[in-house]
Amino acid sequence: MSDTTQTDERIKETSRFRQALIRPELGGMVGTVAVFTLFALFAWDSGMFAAQGVMNWSIISAQFMIIAVGACLLMIAGEFDLSVGSMIGFAGIMIAVFGVVLAWPMWIAILVTFAICCALGALNGFIVVRTGLPSFIVTLAFLFILRGFTIYIPQTIERKTIIGGIRDAAEGDWLAPIFGGKIGQPIFTWLGDAGIIGVYERGTRAGQPVIDGIPMLIVWAIILVIFGHILLTRTRFGNWIFAAGGDAEAARNSGVPVNYVKIMMFVFTAFCATVFAVCQVMEFGSAGADRGLLKEFEAIIAVVIGGALLTGGYGSVLGAALGALIFGVVQQGLFFAGVESSLFRVFLGVILLAAVILNTYIRRIITGER
Amino acid sequence: MTSLTKKLALAAALAVAPFTVQADGHATLNYVLVSHAPDSDSWWNTIKNGIALAGEQVSVNVEYRNPPTGDIADMARIIEQAAASSPDGIITTLADFDVLSGPIRDAVDQGIDVIIMNTGTPEQAREVGALMYVGQPEYDAGLAAGIRAKGEGVTKFLCVNHAIQQPTVGERCRGYADGLGIELGDAMMDSGTDPAEIKNKVLAYLSANPDVDGILTLGPVSADPTIAALEENGMAGDIHFGTFDLGEEIVKAIKGEVINWGIDQQPFLQAYMPVVILANWDRYGVLPGNNINSGPGFVTKDGLAKVEEFAGEYR
């Protein structure tokens, strides 16, 4: 907000405090505080808040965040992408096929995979804006198309559905560590030596810290959240995203390139899914045909908990990031609290419902709609 | 918001309530069993019952965890989570060695005892530093089934695979083909897990390949719809039919001579034994000197009484 030197009687006066408080991510903030308070009460000494536990739910939350940023911007632009989960599986298999089966250098395999997946995202977007079909339907089709190829390609080439050996193939590569590496090792070694965090008790790594660095997955999540937030709130393109999702026709009439914006958002969503996939295959060393099942819904849930509107035109990347954090903390926290794991979905449903009700109420205050 | 917090607190309190355990002279031991099975796989009920019974009999807490969609990468995170909550032991499957070996190794290095059950091999279990392996070596079980089927006159077969993404399950088809002495070729069908789809795919395959005289299914998920398919096209009881694992429908079909035999890997033992072994290891420091092969056991019409009584529960 810029300071206006003279007061304008057309602008409603609101207190600074109220302005600071009433934002789309308020629901996410309240939820985050509530969730942490709850688990601090019920699972304080279960290891959930020791270094290893914190890393555990941080990684899960970061995974949700990476796909939630893409899903959030796309949803604000008024579209859906249900093919995110299939795209994750597809991208992983592509990397395995190029890098292991065809034995290309890993950096080429990664870049080609990014190119293919972003092109598929663009195709998704192109079909949506060209045909005027709901993106729900178009991307549902791609959910099946991509999953089918993800199973068919490795079956045909390798006669199996999991391709391993990616870690060996990525040995010494310059690009692979940007997705699968860890940063900050010396700090963690020092923390381990100082007895602040747990160390291995036996085996070849006895005495080394159990948590030996921040995985690049978390770094990527933070970078994408910052990038998405700045894009949405500080740039002209961000305004276009809101306009395209709010009222596409009105936006077109005032000169916003709505189709271009939507296609770019589909590309960005595919890009986020690919980042997720590359981090996963680099960490685990194998790609599987069943990776990423239902991840599109997890992304959408995180975005909705974060206060975005399913119909487009309203939402915030920070909110989606908080939604991802809530989702990750609840999912892992219930394990730490020793809750029967099948009850996890019950909690998730309750939280989703509560979050949407709260967000609706907050949105009404902000926009003044009834 | 306050109402939400209250609701959550109440729900959490209700959920945690049954987990307080009375001490009976032993320090309470906590174990976690991590499986790779999606929520939809009913076969793992036997495992849940097995750990519950063992936990009750030797007074330890055992929790069951699984990735809801069967995503192995999610399973790796669950193992990491289990290790972070410092249990006395972890019992887990090795559905994908590449993905799971790291997290399991980490747990072992933290001083947590690990037993590998169900999926994996004795060699892999040794490699990740587990105490032992309890399960049925898949390829060998498939090979035994193939040799037996060859003796019973099978010349061309269909293998209905409902878990195409798990290479270890596919090993059963490969072993079966080798036992018969036939190339696997495209005899292995990716059937998916939807019963109606499996049934119709089997019907389509059999009408397109009328010379198929043997079917192998890999579990209740694929066997039940296949039974329905055979009853529909009139081949039930006529075509040779073997299956892995047991379930209520499969037992009925063995009784009705639709299925020649079921291969029981005795999941009960895969769940029960690791709990008891871990408890005795933690309490008295004793450990069997060998891995435990829980199967294969051929169940034919003659040995059905006990199986029938406990089908879907302990068998």
Side-chain angles (χ1 to χ4, degrees):
Chain A
M1 296 296 290
S2 61
D3 269 336
T4 45
T5 41
Q6 73 244 48
T7 55
D8 185 338
E9 74 278 2
R10 289 169 303 178
I11 295 173
K12 200 171 134 192
E13 280 287 324
T14 50
S15 71
R16 258 173 195 290
F17 173 72
R18 192 180 162 92
Q19 258 180 21
L21 197 67
I22 298 296
R23 338 163 38 120
E25 44 294 351
L26 176 64
M29 289 174 187
V30 173
T32 307
V33 171
V35 163
F36 273 101
T37 312
L38 192 75
F39 284 113
L41 290 173
F42 281 106
W44 182 251
D45 49 4
S46 64
M48 181 174 174
F49 295 100
Q52 209 186 340
V54 171
M55 186 56 75
N56 186 267
W57 51 254
S58 300
I59 288 177
I60 297 282
S61 302
Q63 283 191 338
F64 290 143
M65 256 176 228
I66 287 174
I67 44 178
V69 172
C72 177
L73 292 176
L74 183 66
M75 212 186 278
I76 294 170
E79 302 293 344
F80 260 114
D81 191 347
L82 294 182
S83 65
V84 168
S86 296
M87 186 72 85
I88 290 168
F90 181 78
I93 289 289
M94 285 291 102
I95 286 170
V97 168
F98 295 141
V100 177
V101 180
L102 303 180
W104 296 358
M106 195 48 76
W107 62 274
I108 296 180
I110 292 172
L111 292 178
V112 171
T113 302
F114 267 107
I116 291 175
C117 291
C118 289
L120 283 166
L123 179 63
N124 254 337
F126 182 75
I127 295 173
V128 169
V129 299
R130 250 318 135 89
T131 58
L133 286 170
S135 51
F136 193 92
I137 304 297
V138 175
T139 56
L140 189 62
F142 270 85
L143 180 152
F144 290 110
I145 294 168
L146 290 177
R147 183 65 66 192
F149 277 126
T150 306
I151 296 170
Y152 171 79
I153 292 168
Q155 264 294 64
T156 322
I157 299 177
E158 287 280 283
R159 303 215 55 74
K160 55 189 183 191
T161 53
I162 297 180
I163 303 180
I166 295 174
R167 217 179 282 129
D168 302 337
E171 202 67 51
D173 191 77
W174 64 270
L175 187 59
I178 292 175
F179 294 94
K182 290 183 175 180
I183 56 167
Q185 277 97 333
I187 300 167
F188 286 91
T189 308
W190 179 83
L191 284 172
D193 293 343
I196 297 169
I197 57 173
V199 293
Y200 287 115
E201 294 176 12
R202 60 189 187 193
T204 48
R205 289 173 301 172
Q208 292 178 19
V210 175
I211 303 299
D212 58 354
I214 307 257
M216 284 306 293
L217 182 81
I218 294 180
V219 178
W220 270 103
I222 293 167
I223 290 171
L224 284 170
V225 168
I226 292 171
F227 169 80
H229 180 68
I230 289 174
L231 179 77
L232 190 63
T233 56
R234 296 267 184 280
T235 67
R236 190 174 62 162
F237 194 88
N239 289 339
W240 288 356
I241 296 175
F242 279 118
D247 186 341
E249 222 30 62
R252 265 191 202 97
N253 295 338
S254 49
V256 175
V258 171
N259 288 356
Y260 167 73
V261 169
K262 288 192 172 183
I263 291 174
M264 284 314 288
M265 286 303 97
F266 274 105
V267 171
F268 184 63
T269 307
F271 175 83
C272 289
T274 312
V275 169
F276 182 111
V278 180
C279 288
Q280 190 178 68
V281 297
M282 290 305 151
E283 178 182 0
F284 292 128
S286 79
D290 62 341
R291 298 282 164 76
L293 275 174
L294 293 184
K295 287 276 180 281
E296 54 279 341
F297 288 103
E298 292 174 352
I300 290 169
I301 287 169
V303 174
V304 170
I305 292 177
L309 203 53
L310 285 174
T311 47
Y314 182 90
S316 100
V317 174
L318 286 186
L322 288 171
L325 182 64
I326 292 171
F327 197 169
V329 168
V330 168
Q331 182 177 313
Q332 300 308 104
L334 289 176
F335 287 149
F336 281 106
V339 176
E340 173 65 35
S341 59
S342 40
L343 283 175
F344 156 66
R345 285 161 205 70
V346 177
F347 281 82
L348 192 64
V350 170
I351 288 171
L352 183 63
L353 208 54
V356 173
I357 292 167
L358 180 72
N359 287 330
T360 308
Y361 175 72
I362 292 168
R363 196 179 59 250
R364 280 184 187 156
I365 295 177
I366 298 175
T367 59
E369 61 180 273
R370 285 282 161 263
Chain B
M1 190 64 237
T2 46
S3 69
L4 166 66
T5 324
K6 269 188 200 149
K7 244 186 271 175
L8 275 176
L10 186 68
L14 282 174
V16 178
F19 288 92
T20 46
V21 177
Q22 76 291 347
D24 59 341
H26 290 297
T28 310
L29 293 167
N30 296 302
Y31 302 127
V32 180
L33 187 146
V34 186
S35 91
H36 56 256
D39 291 345
S40 53
D41 194 339
S42 58
W43 186 88
W44 287 79
N45 246 344
T46 311
I47 300 281
K48 287 184 193 170
N49 292 334
I51 58 174
L53 187 74
E56 210 176 299
Q57 288 182 355
V58 295
S59 315
V60 296
N61 292 331
V62 194
E63 285 175 29
Y64 176 87
R65 304 269 165 78
N66 68 309
T69 57
D71 186 327
I72 305 293
D74 287 349
M75 180 186 173
R77 300 278 181 235
I78 293 174
I79 293 173
E80 286 169 359
Q81 185 283 320
S85 64
S86 326
D88 297 287
I90 295 176
I91 304 158
T92 177
T93 72
L94 253 177
D96 179 348
F97 187 79
D98 273 321
V99 177
L100 300 176
S101 56
I104 293 172
R105 203 51 289 162
D106 289 352
V108 170
D109 288 348
Q110 276 171 63
I112 298 166
D113 296 320
V114 173
I115 289 184
I116 303 295
M117 53 89 68
N118 178 270
T119 316
T121 63
E123 295 73 36
Q124 289 175 335
R126 205 171 23 250
E127 210 170 316
V128 295
L131 291 178
M132 66 190 307
Y133 167 76
V134 181
Q136 168 179 270
E138 301 295 358
Y139 178 83
D140 297 351
L143 189 71
I147 291 167
R148 185 169 174 141
K150 191 178 183 176
E152 288 164 3
V154 175
T155 58
K156 190 171 191 304
F157 75 101
L158 160 68
C159 177
V160 188
N161 187 346
H162 63 270
I164 198 88
Q165 71 277 10
Q166 283 176 36
T168 44
V169 174
E171 284 299 300
R172 296 169 171 180
C173 296
R174 260 176 276 282
Y176 188 76
D178 291 352
L180 285 167
I182 307 174
E183 275 288 302
L184 179 59
D186 58 0
M188 182 161 80
M189 172 201 287
D190 169 12
S191 66
T193 53
D194 181 82
E197 284 177 27
I198 296 173
K199 180 180 158 184
N200 290 316
K201 281 179 184 168
V202 170
L203 283 173
Y205 190 94
L206 290 177
S207 62
N209 302 281
D211 52 344
V212 168
D213 54 11
I215 295 183
L216 181 73
T217 55
L218 302 187
V221 176
S222 48
D224 297 1
T226 304
I227 295 166
L230 295 180
E231 267 156 10
E232 188 158 314
N233 71 3
M235 286 184 178
D238 179 43
I239 195 168
H240 183 280
F241 186 171
T243 183
F244 274 85
D245 302 337
L246 295 173
E248 251 167 276
E249 288 299 312
I250 292 176
V251 170
K252 255 189 248 162
I254 293 175
K255 219 172 161 177
E257 295 183 352
V258 173
I259 294 183
N260 299 54
W261 34 254
I263 292 175
D264 190 11
Q265 59 168 301
Q266 302 176 94
F268 176 84
L269 287 178
Q270 296 176 7
Y272 183 91
M273 294 311 290
V275 175
V276 175
I277 287 163
L278 280 172
N280 288 331
W281 172 241
D282 282 336
R283 283 171 186 160
Y284 314 115
V286 292
L287 190 71
N290 248 330
N291 294 314
I292 295 177
N293 276 10
S294 68
F298 288 92
V299 176
T300 55
K301 210 179 159 192
D302 311 329
L304 272 181
K306 272 276 187 295
V307 175
E308 236 181 330
E309 191 182 343
F310 294 112
E313 188 183 355
Y314 292 125
R315 292 301 300 266

